[in-house]
Amino acid sequence: MKNPLDPRHKKRQKVVEDLFKMEFHKQSVGQKAKEILKNVEFIDNKINLAAPEFPIEKINKIDLAILRLSVYELFIDKTQPQKVIIDEAIELAKEYGGDKSPQFINGALGKLI
C-alpha cells in the first residue's frame, strides 16, 4: 500500500473526494477537480470506450471519480508515467471503492493504454 503521507497520494485523494462530492451537489472544489470537470465530456467518452458494458450513470460514483482523475492524468495532464497513474488509481480504489473496484479500475485503464 502507498505511504499515506506521500504528498502526491494526498493530492489525488483530495481530487477524488472533490469529484465524488460533485456527483451529489454543487460545492467548492479544488483547481484540479475543476480542470477535470471542464474536460468531463472527453474523459467520459474515454471511460465509455474502456468499459462499454458500464454506462457512466451506472458506474459506482467513487469508481467514476477515480477513473475521471486517472483518465485526466493519462490523456490531458500527462505529467506522470502511465504506470504510476494506474498504480495510484488501484490504490485509491482499494482505499475508497468496493471489493471489485481495484479490478474494474485496472481493467478499464488497461484497455485505454
Side-chain angles (χ1 to χ4, degrees):
M1 186 171 203
K2 294 277 182 205
N3 178 350
L5 302 176
D6 180 347
R8 293 168 299 188
H9 186 72
K10 286 287 207 199
K11 287 178 184 176
R12 283 187 175 98
Q13 286 176 316
K14 174 70 174 116
V15 174
V16 166
E17 290 168 6
D18 282 352
L19 292 170
F20 180 75
K21 291 188 300 192
M22 291 298 293
E23 286 296 316
F24 299 100
H25 47 84
K26 299 276 184 225
Q27 56 185 299
S28 176
V29 295
Q31 187 59 40
K32 192 163 191 174
K34 287 178 186 174
E35 287 297 316
I36 292 168
L37 293 171
K38 283 182 196 173
N39 292 283
V40 78
E41 189 174 324
F42 171 83
I43 291 167
D44 286 356
N45 284 334
K46 290 287 189 189
I47 294 169
N48 281 326
L49 290 173
E53 65 279 10
F54 297 100
I56 293 292
E57 61 275 358
K58 300 285 186 191
I59 296 175
N60 172 316
K61 299 299 183 204
I62 197 68
D63 292 352
L64 182 58
I66 294 166
L67 282 171
R68 283 178 171 162
L69 168 60
S70 302
V71 170
Y72 172 83
E73 289 184 333
L74 286 168
F75 293 98
I76 298 169
D77 190 40
K78 299 181 186 179
T79 58
Q80 298 290 318
Q82 289 179 341
K83 183 177 177 3
V84 170
I85 294 167
I86 292 171
D87 287 349
E88 276 290 322
I90 294 167
E91 287 301 318
L92 290 165
K94 288 176 183 175
E95 286 178 60
Y96 291 103
D99 292 342
K100 296 183 181 185
S101 294
Q103 293 167 310
F104 173 67
I105 300 287
N106 187 37
L109 295 176
K111 282 184 183 178
L112 288 176
I113 59 166

